[in-house]
Amino acid sequence: MASRVIPPAKPTPQKQQSPARTKSFFDKVPLTINVRPRAVAGGVLLLLAAAVGSYASQLTLGPVYGDIPSSLYHQKICAAIFVGVWTGKGLFRQIFRRPLVLLSILAFYVPLIQRSLFKYSENWGARYGPIYTEALSFYPTLFLAVLGAACLLETPSIVLDVVPAGLSYAVFKGARDYLPGYLFHKMGSSWIYTRCGLSHLAAIFYTLISPSALLLAAVPGIFHSSLLNPSCSNTAALQYLNATLTSTNFTILAHAESSTGYISIMENSYEKYRVMRVDHSLLGGEWIAAPPGYEHVESGVLEPIYGVFVTLEAVRLIRPAPVAKVPKALMIGLGIGTSQNGLMRLGVDVHLVEIDPMVYQYAKEFFGLLPNHTAHITDAVQFVKKEAAVEKPTQYQYIIHDVFTGGAAPSSLLTTDMMEGMKKLMVDDGVIAINYAGDLKLKPAKMIIETARSVYGQCKVFREDYPQNDDKDVDFTNMVIFCTKQNKPFRFRNAVNSDFLGTYARQQFLFPQFEIDVEELFGTDEKTGETRKYGVLDGKSIAEFDEFQKESAVHHWEIMRTVIPKEGWERY
């Protein structure tokens, strides 16, 4: 039997191997992110609560440090906390094992801690006091909230963490920027819409995300806010507050949260005067009895404590005068109603524009605002814009513009657009008076003067007092800019007894005295030899104007501390 020959197996073709590729850094980075809806919702809620807490903290600091000084570094520090937490969250999560529980407890103590620190405001000052106060109260809660959000929103990669880190700050800042406008007309309408209520609302949001029996540790903080914190609008706490103010001779007659800030009526029982306070500023005041030594001039018309408000009434003294049987005045900004009452008593038909309803209510209730006027409780910019847009708008013989508060004037109320709008509401021979308080050595005051001069025909500028020392770095004062619509020279007639309404303040301050030489104030350009230009206030220069006003606001804080003792500002 023949043997079978088995052919050799064919060799299996070998696949040609490609050369080994070195792995790049990005091969290690996961390209997909596992989105967890509940974690995302929790992270977003933490950020929204932090935004509410940020706004509440700034509102709480306002009456002690002022709105502008309180915000000088707030946004930058918040941004730094976000960067720091997202960069070092690996280390921080090892230190803070349960950040959300600690956050929920600490948030309820923020009002208590801040109130306890206000007594140091005089030593810390307006520039750094807000930083120190929030460093021991709000900023720790923001740190824990951002850490909690970072743990919920993190990705598997440090590289991809850039996305949720950026988005988390965008959510926080977007909500923070939205809140002031959204809550403007709601502030004070209920307890939740107060600085105390908003602070506790943030704490409640934190608690909903991480409920725990350990939250019982927050009870003392809640108890203090409920019964012992006057800024939480508790009647018993207000009585206690007035007891602590006895040594300063001040009593708080009424207080309220409102759209423009914390408003209170303070009365000095020793010197016998009453003022309206808005945050860390005074809108005006009156002597409730004739000042010592001036009892002989008492006439039934209460004396204002600030002379500049009666100087605004000098619009009636300008010659040539507007021709009208019953002149009408548009008065933007109310304060306590000093100049409004003065013009009403002199037969002027007064139309006032005031944005804050509580200012209007308190002016009537505590300062005797006369009833024979027309009130427009609305935003002045929108009012002027709407009225000026009409083909035949209502026109006024006099316009008085006085909106300064808190160390600064709202820039939107002083722009060329606003000035042009008011010009349209003036009769051809009308007069406007603009009150502005600021440092004459800084650019904003000069910009306001230049803006007015660019819009109106003729202007004269007066300060309320004589400059004490030209060598000083600061020259903070009230100035009044009188302008006419027509480009013709004007003068002030001498005041007579009927203009004074029997008051000493009008005898002394009604007639403008200390005129400012604008050319000398502005100085001369060394290159051209012409008067130096500082520019007008318009949409392009608002940001620059607001930056300069920050320094002016710090000077204003220092001045206010000389008017009322520090306890009067710190205890509210």
Side-chain angles (χ1 to χ4, degrees):
M1 180 174 172
S3 62
R4 188 163 60 95
V5 178
I6 301 176
K10 293 181 179 181
T12 304
Q14 298 290 324
K15 287 185 179 181
Q16 190 173 4
Q17 292 185 355
S18 58
R21 182 173 67 89
T22 304
K23 288 187 177 182
S24 70
F25 171 76
F26 291 98
D27 288 326
K28 303 175 184 179
V29 178
L31 297 180
T32 59
I33 300 175
N34 182 23
V35 178
R36 298 166 295 166
R38 291 187 64 181
V40 171
V44 170
L45 185 58
L46 279 172
L47 297 170
L48 294 178
V52 173
S54 166
Y55 185 49
S57 178
Q58 289 284 281
L59 288 175
T60 304
L61 267 59
V64 179
Y65 292 105
D67 176 45
I68 293 177
S70 297
S71 64
L72 286 178
Y73 306 104
H74 182 81
Q75 184 174 325
K76 293 178 181 178
I77 294 175
C78 289
I81 289 174
F82 270 83
V83 172
V85 168
W86 277 94
T87 302
K89 72 176 189 300
L91 171 64
F92 294 139
R93 71 196 310 172
Q94 297 300 318
I95 300 173
F96 301 98
R97 294 290 185 174
R98 302 185 65 182
L100 296 185
V101 174
L102 179 59
L103 168 63
S104 302
I105 297 171
L106 182 58
F108 281 108
Y109 282 93
V110 168
L112 169 60
I113 295 171
Q114 291 185 333
R115 190 158 194 89
S116 302
L117 295 173
F118 287 158
K119 61 186 177 183
Y120 302 109
S121 66
E122 191 80 3
N123 295 328
W124 291 346
R127 196 178 299 278
Y128 299 108
I131 299 177
Y132 300 152
T133 303
E134 290 192 304
L136 297 171
S137 56
F138 167 69
Y139 291 142
T141 66
L142 178 62
F143 170 85
L144 293 171
V146 177
L147 178 59
C151 293
L152 291 170
L153 301 175
E154 66 181 347
T155 67
S157 164
I158 297 178
V159 175
L160 291 180
D161 269 351
V162 172
V163 176
L167 290 176
S168 66
Y169 182 69
V171 169
F172 169 80
K173 190 174 186 306
R176 179 61 180 83
D177 292 343
Y178 176 75
L179 281 172
Y182 175 73
L183 295 175
F184 186 81
H185 293 292
K186 293 181 172 64
M187 290 304 295
S189 60
S190 65
W191 181 81
I192 203 66
Y193 293 127
T194 64
R195 61 204 68 209
C196 190
L198 290 173
S199 183
H200 283 77
L201 179 63
I204 291 170
F205 282 162
Y206 297 143
T207 302
L208 291 176
I209 297 171
S210 182
S212 169
L214 295 176
L215 288 170
L216 290 173
V219 170
I222 299 172
F223 175 82
H224 178 268
S225 295
S226 302
L227 299 177
L228 301 177
N229 192 336
S231 64
C232 294
S233 299
N234 181 274
T235 303
L238 179 59
Q239 294 173 352
Y240 169 75
L241 174 62
N242 277 329
T244 66
L245 290 173
T246 302
S247 61
T248 67
N249 299 312
F250 276 102
T251 300
I252 297 177
L253 303 180
H255 69 160
E257 303 256 359
S258 196
S259 51
T260 58
Y262 168 81
I263 302 177
S264 68
I265 306 300
M266 302 177 68
E267 186 169 290
N268 188 298
S269 59
Y270 178 73
E271 297 183 6
K272 304 295 183 183
Y273 66 84
R274 181 181 294 174
V275 295
M276 184 189 296
R277 166 190 179 175
V278 176
D279 278 350
H280 201 278
S281 183
L282 299 179
L283 293 189
E286 287 179 338
W287 298 96
I288 56 178
Y294 298 96
E295 292 83 1
H296 62 284
V297 297
E298 192 167 359
S299 65
V301 177
L302 295 181
E303 296 275 357
I305 64 173
Y306 290 118
V308 68
F309 298 123
V310 301
T311 305
L312 294 170
E313 298 172 24
V315 291
R316 295 179 56 257
L317 306 183
I318 287 181
R319 292 294 181 268
V323 178
K325 187 175 181 180
V326 179
K328 289 194 298 185
L330 176 65
M331 310 190 74
I332 297 174
L334 173 60
I336 68 166
T338 297
S339 50
Q340 287 82 356
N341 277 346
L343 292 185
M344 282 188 274
R345 287 190 170 97
L346 293 165
V348 179
D349 179 15
V350 170
H351 295 245
L352 63 88
V353 181
E354 171 56 51
I355 195 171
D356 196 318
M358 286 308 302
V359 170
Y360 181 61
Q361 179 180 324
Y362 281 173
K364 292 188 296 182
E365 186 175 349
F366 294 99
F367 297 96
L369 180 65
L370 298 175
N372 51 320
H373 64 268
T374 302
H376 306 273
I377 310 302
T378 185
D379 176 63
V381 173
Q382 297 303 318
F383 175 85
V384 170
K385 183 178 180 179
K386 180 180 178 181
E387 293 293 306
V390 179
E391 185 176 352
K392 293 184 178 181
T394 301
Q395 292 186 313
Y396 304 86
Q397 281 70 37
Y398 309 124
I399 294 181
I400 293 180
H401 181 287
D402 182 14
V403 295
F404 179 86
T405 183
S411 52
S412 60
L413 288 166
L414 294 163
T415 62
T416 51
D417 288 342
M418 182 68 175
M419 298 274 190
E420 291 284 1
M422 292 188 294
K423 184 178 180 180
K424 292 179 181 178
L425 301 184
M426 294 167 61
V427 296
D428 288 341
D429 54 357
V431 180
I432 185 170
I434 302 168
N435 181 33
Y436 179 80
D439 188 346
L440 295 182
K441 295 194 174 183
L442 294 180
K443 190 174 180 179
K446 298 170 184 176
M447 289 179 70
I448 298 304
I449 295 172
E450 196 159 320
T451 302
R453 292 177 56 174
S454 72
V455 173
Y456 302 107
Q458 286 284 315
C459 294
K460 291 178 181 287
V461 186
F462 296 84
R463 58 183 298 153
E464 69 171 335
D465 52 7
Y466 191 81
Q468 299 298 316
N469 187 352
D470 290 338
D471 296 330
K472 290 178 64 177
D473 294 331
V474 177
D475 187 12
F476 197 99
T477 187
N478 276 290
M479 69 176 181
V480 180
I481 309 170
F482 293 95
C483 299
T484 56
K485 192 172 182 178
Q486 296 182 347
N487 191 18
K488 296 179 181 179
F490 64 87
R491 64 179 179 83
F492 293 87
R493 69 165 172 83
N494 291 327
V496 297
N497 284 335
S498 59
D499 298 317
F500 300 143
L501 299 175
T503 63
Y504 175 78
R506 287 176 174 84
Q507 293 177 33
Q508 295 297 310
F509 303 110
L510 173 60
F511 191 89
Q513 301 175 57
F514 306 107
E515 185 169 4
I516 296 174
D517 186 329
V518 175
E519 278 67 31
E520 182 181 339
L521 175 68
F522 282 14
T524 303
D525 191 302
E526 296 178 357
K527 294 181 180 180
T528 64
E530 299 178 353
T531 302
R532 189 176 287 111
K533 298 292 184 182
Y534 287 89
V536 299
L537 180 57
D538 54 22
K540 297 178 181 178
S541 58
I542 277 184
E544 179 190 14
F545 180 83
D546 288 340
E547 280 299 313
F548 275 106
Q549 284 208 120
K550 291 178 180 179
E551 191 64 31
S552 184
V554 173
H555 295 324
H556 179 264
W557 181 89
E558 295 168 352
I559 292 172
M560 287 292 100
R561 284 297 171 112
T562 67
V563 177
I564 289 178
K566 70 183 189 69
E567 293 84 2
W569 297 111
E570 295 167 349
R571 302 171 188 175
Y572 73 92

